[in-house]
Structures are given as structure tokens and as C-alpha cells.
Amino acid sequence: EDQVTQSPEALRLQEGESSSLNCSYTVSGLRGLFWYRQDPGKGPEFLFTLYSAGEEKEKERLKATLTKKESFLHITAPKPEDSATYLCAVQAGNNNDMRFGAGTRLTVKP
Amino acid sequence: NAGVTQTPKFQVLKTGQSMTLQCAQDMNHNSMYWYRQDPGMGLRLIYYSASEGTTDKGEVPNGYNVSRLNKREFSLRLESAAPSQTSVYFCASSEEGFGNTIYFGEGSWLTVV
């Protein structure tokens, strides 16, 4: 069965303190790995899609990378407005839907 | 630019009552989905519709029914609500096929007492 595990569950950073969030997965036939940001009381907002090992995508202070077993979301010099829950999801095999991890709740203190 | 629109935003039901969550998308997507989100469990797929006229069960379909009314609309029905169905429900849509991004609505908060 496809599994997606995110760590840590929660992460507290000081403004400017860079760190990484992890998403490990066990699936057969990865079609895509997706990162979303979710603010309290809102729906998930799409950030990145990665399709193959070695691929990297960047957006402002965020950089997503992918290996054959895991993905990292690197946050460089975070700001308080980066505080949110970050969700990882995979699409694999013949399934059109996504399997989500439980998320990492990021808090950035000024 | 509405994207995916869900109604209602909030609902309180008594055990045994029925209700329908409505969803519409204006992105001309073929595929639509209903997920539920519970603390510590992530988003779990209830039902999806790969294209108009088709629906399939997801990971947690028990207690729910769906209707793909047309290409734009996909509704989720709770026939006899139970406290275990207290959750946040998200409708989503995507282009048909693999590797396409799924776009989410703002969510519907449902409490069953």
C-alpha cells in the first residue's frame, strides 16, 4: 500500500533560521510528488510538483527536491508569513488521485 | 477567478440527519474529488470522478454517496450522519490523467452531534 510520511510533525523556527521538512514515500510507480501549503481555515494551496529523482523546484524562499525515496522542502531565511502547515502528496501507479501525508506544522517566530 | 467553490462553509447536523455538500469548479477540469481531513491523519479520499459520468470509491467511502451532476458539479451526500463523520471536507478538481495538479476548494466544516 502506498505510504507517505512527513517529519517533523511540528517545527518552530526563528525568523531567518533555515531548515528542511521531510516527506518519505513508499509507492509503486511514482507519477508525481506534490507540495501544498495550508493556512488555518483554508484549503491546500499548490506549491510544487516533482516528477523524477534529481528534480528541483524553487519559489521565493522555498526549494523542493526529490530522490527515489523522499522529498525535502528547504526553507531559506523564513519569515513569519511562511507559518503554515505544509502537505506532501504522491500520485502513483494507475491512480488518478493523491495520497497525502499528515503534514508538518511550521511556525516562524519574529 | 473562483476556482473550486463549496457550500455550505459550516454545518451542524444531528445524528441520523442527511445533507448534501455542493461543489462546483470553473476550470473546465474533467476530474473531481471529495476528501476529508481529520487531525493527525492528513487528507483522505472519499470518492472521485475521473470524468463526467463516472464515479469511483476512494479510501474512506462508507457512509457517503456522490453525484457527478455535470462537468462542473460534484456533490457529496451523507444519508444518515454519524459523529464519526465530523470533519472538514474538501472538494477538488484536476485535469484528467496522471501527474496533474489537484486544486482544492476552501473546505466545509461539518459537525455531527
Side-chain angles (χ1 to χ4, degrees):
Chain A
E1 182 179 306
D2 298 344
Q3 288 203 352
V4 181
T5 304
Q6 291 188 246
S7 63
E9 288 186 16
L11 182 63
R12 297 171 71 90
L13 300 173
Q14 288 297 128
E15 184 172 2
E17 179 186 2
S18 301
S19 188
S20 295
L21 283 54
N22 177 264
C23 172
S24 63
Y25 61 92
T26 53
V27 300
S28 297
L30 180 71
R31 299 282 190 174
L33 186 140
F34 302 78
W35 282 98
Y36 287 84
R37 170 192 171 124
Q38 187 175 23
D39 293 301
K42 301 289 186 181
E45 176 187 346
F46 171 70
L47 291 174
F48 304 109
T49 308
L50 302 167
Y51 293 103
S52 58
E55 191 174 359
E56 300 183 351
K57 294 267 180 81
E58 286 190 67
K59 180 180 179 181
E60 296 179 357
R61 295 177 292 282
L62 300 177
K63 179 180 178 180
T65 62
L66 181 65
T67 72
K68 289 185 177 180
K69 293 184 178 181
E70 58 192 349
S71 177
F72 292 93
L73 185 65
H74 307 278
I75 302 177
T76 302
K79 297 182 178 182
E81 53 262 41
D82 294 322
S83 297
T85 295
Y86 290 86
L87 303 173
C88 167
V90 297
Q91 193 182 68
N94 292 323
N95 296 319
N96 202 39
D97 67 312
M98 293 184 185
R99 181 63 60 100
F100 279 83
T104 293
R105 188 173 67 254
L106 174 66
T107 304
V108 182
K109 294 290 190 181
Chain B
N1 191 12
V4 179
T5 304
Q6 299 178 226
T7 56
K9 181 83 169 180
F10 300 97
Q11 184 73 50
V12 179
L13 287 178
K14 293 182 179 179
T15 298
Q17 285 186 320
S18 62
M19 77 156 298
T20 300
L21 299 176
Q22 307 285 354
C23 175
Q25 52 92 9
D26 63 3
M27 294 178 281
N28 202 35
H29 286 162
N30 281 322
S31 300
M32 297 186 73
Y33 313 80
W34 277 105
Y35 285 86
R36 61 179 287 173
Q37 187 174 38
D38 301 292
M41 300 197 69
L43 286 149
R44 292 181 293 167
L45 184 67
I46 304 170
Y47 270 93
Y48 69 99
S49 171
S51 60
E52 188 178 356
T54 69
T55 59
D56 287 286
K57 295 179 180 179
E59 187 181 352
V60 288
N62 292 343
Y64 305 95
N65 285 302
V66 290
S67 295
R68 184 72 184 269
L69 304 171
N70 48 55
K71 188 172 184 178
R72 289 186 64 247
E73 298 173 287
F74 189 39
S75 63
L76 178 72
R77 182 161 179 84
L78 287 69
E79 292 290 352
S80 179
S84 61
Q85 294 179 304
T86 294
S87 188
V88 184
Y89 292 86
F90 289 97
C91 179
S93 71
S94 74
E95 297 286 353
E96 189 175 3
F98 303 122
N100 290 309
T101 301
I102 293 179
Y103 295 92
F104 287 84
E106 292 290 275
S108 296
W109 273 253
L110 177 64
T111 301
V112 183
V113 297

